[in-house]
């Protein structure tokens, strides 16, 4: 199952995602999500800002988009993330394993 969460209209001028936490919902039911891990928001925002700043200054992309996608899944959909480099999945939704794939709009 592909979970998007970020539409083109939700990006900054440089193509980086602009977080919209008001729209947190359960991706299976569409109901408001009460399991979101909002304690991760400061880390998400800092990592996103760092990636954008680095790109603006160097025109190179940091290799952090997978981490950004995993944090977004935990915050927005309430996914419980596994430890880094866990085999087979990035986390779980209830008892179901979830693998997160981050698709980027790479513009150089």
């Amino acid at each position: 199952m592909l979970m998007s969460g970020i539409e083109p209209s939700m990006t900054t001028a440089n193509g980086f995602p602009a977080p919209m936490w008001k729209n947190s919902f359960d991706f299976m039911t569409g109901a408001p999500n009460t399991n979101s891990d909002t304690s991760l928001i400061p880390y998400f925002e800092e990592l996103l800002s760092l990636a954008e700043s680095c790109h603006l200054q160097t025109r190179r992309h940091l290799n952090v988009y997978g981490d950004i996608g995993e944090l977004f899944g935990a915050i927005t959909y309430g996914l419980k993330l596994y430890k880094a480099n866990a085999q087979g999945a990035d986390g779980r939704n209830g008892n179901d394993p979830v693998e997160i794939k981050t698709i980027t709009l790479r513009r150089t």
Side-chain angles (χ1 to χ4, degrees), residues 2-4 6-8 11 14-17 48 51 55 60-70 100-108:
L2 177 64
M3 298 183 297
S4 174
I6 298 179
E7 301 298 327
T11 59
N14 298 305
F16 289 88
L48 196 62
H55 181 259
R60 294 177 53 109
H61 292 277
L62 292 176
N63 192 23
V64 295
Y65 296 111
D67 296 318
I68 290 171
E70 291 173 13
I100 299 167
K101 296 295 181 193
T102 306
I103 300 170
T104 64
L105 302 173
R106 290 206 175 188
R107 295 183 221 161
T108 56

Side-chain angles (χ1 to χ4, degrees), residues 17-94:
M20 298 191 64
W21 306 123
K22 296 176 186 173
N23 296 331
S24 181
F25 62 94
D26 182 293
F27 72 94
M28 295 296 285
T29 66
N33 189 355
T34 58
N35 297 322
S36 296
D37 190 348
T38 56
S39 69
L40 297 174
I41 290 174
Y43 304 107
F44 176 90
E45 290 176 343
E46 186 68 27
L47 189 57
L48 196 62
S49 176
L50 179 65
E52 183 174 21
S53 295
C54 181
H55 181 259
L56 291 173
Q57 184 171 351
T58 67
R59 304 308 297 164
R60 294 177 53 109
H61 292 277
L62 292 176
N63 192 23
V64 295
Y65 296 111
D67 296 318
I68 290 171
E70 291 173 13
L71 288 171
F72 185 83
I75 295 165
T76 305
Y77 303 111
L79 304 177
K80 303 301 177 198
L81 299 176
Y82 293 150
K83 291 181 180 181
N85 301 318
Q87 291 286 3
D90 297 311
R92 61 182 166 73
N93 178 35

